[in-house]
Amino acid sequence: LIRSVTKLEKKVVFSWNLTALKKIQAYDQEVHDKIAENALDIINKVERFIKSYDFRNDIPLDFKSISVGINIKAYHLNYIFKYYCVYSKSDFFNYCKVIHILKLIQDGYLQNKTINSLISDSHFKSKKTFYNNFRKFTGKSPQEMNTALKFKM
């Protein structure tokens, strides 16, 4: 199971395609011409930002925080997400939050804290969104994951 947590963590890199996933639309052609050759560089910056993101701060992990954090124009970043990310923006951010949650659970977070504090610390706005996304990306509930990790340790 710990291997599966690590695999899920590494899968973030596989959230991206190295070539455009769909045909560039005419209204995006100008942006494409400016930044397509730097797409991999921008993707790497996004990945580094996410890996270094501190969930303990009050700034949510979202499109704006990445745009500001890697110093890229919002419409350039939008182009990267639109054409290179295999997830919708919403799913991508939820996926990153689930990766964070898995690390916390793996580190024993639920030994001293509650599921409600886990939800709050992972920046999900509601319990329902938290549970739906956790199950969507892991196939388990947080309690099941915690029990499985305890059993493996």
Side-chain angles (χ1 to χ4, degrees), residues 29-77:
Q29 193 61 50
E30 188 178 334
V31 175
H32 172 77
D33 293 343
K34 288 181 183 177
I35 67 168
E37 66 184 36
N38 297 321
L40 185 57
D41 220 22
I42 295 167
I43 291 167
N44 285 328
K45 287 179 183 178
V46 170
E47 288 296 318
R48 282 193 304 273
F49 179 84
I50 289 166
K51 285 184 190 239
S52 67
Y53 178 78
D54 185 0
F55 278 86
R56 292 174 294 182
N57 69 34
D58 291 333
I59 300 168
L61 177 62
D62 60 13
F63 194 74
K64 183 179 179 182
S65 65
I66 291 177
S67 178
V68 170
I70 67 171
N71 195 27
I72 186 172
K73 294 176 183 174
Y75 67 93
H76 287 181
L77 186 59

Side-chain angles (χ1 to χ4, degrees), residues 36-138:
E37 66 184 36
N38 297 321
L40 185 57
D41 220 22
I42 295 167
I43 291 167
N44 285 328
K45 287 179 183 178
V46 170
E47 288 296 318
R48 282 193 304 273
F49 179 84
I50 289 166
K51 285 184 190 239
S52 67
Y53 178 78
D54 185 0
F55 278 86
R56 292 174 294 182
N57 69 34
D58 291 333
I59 300 168
L61 177 62
D62 60 13
F63 194 74
K64 183 179 179 182
S65 65
I66 291 177
S67 178
V68 170
I70 67 171
N71 195 27
I72 186 172
K73 294 176 183 174
Y75 67 93
H76 287 181
L77 186 59
N78 190 56
Y79 165 87
I80 294 296
F81 270 88
K82 182 176 180 179
Y83 291 104
Y84 293 89
C85 188
V86 299
Y87 295 119
S88 68
K89 281 188 268 187
S90 175
D91 276 351
F92 178 80
F93 292 117
N94 288 331
Y95 182 79
C96 293
K97 292 173 188 178
V98 169
I99 294 297
H100 171 68
I101 292 165
L102 288 171
K103 287 179 188 175
L104 292 176
I105 292 172
Q106 190 174 4
D107 292 342
Y109 183 95
L110 292 175
Q111 292 172 358
N112 303 325
K113 296 189 179 180
T114 66
I115 291 288
N116 285 338
S117 62
L118 183 64
I119 293 168
S120 175
D121 289 349
S122 60
H123 295 260
F124 277 104
K125 294 188 188 325
S126 75
K127 283 183 181 182
K128 184 176 181 174
T129 305
F130 167 81
Y131 279 104
N132 287 345
N133 280 288
F134 194 90
R135 189 167 294 281
K136 176 181 183 176
F137 292 113
T138 67

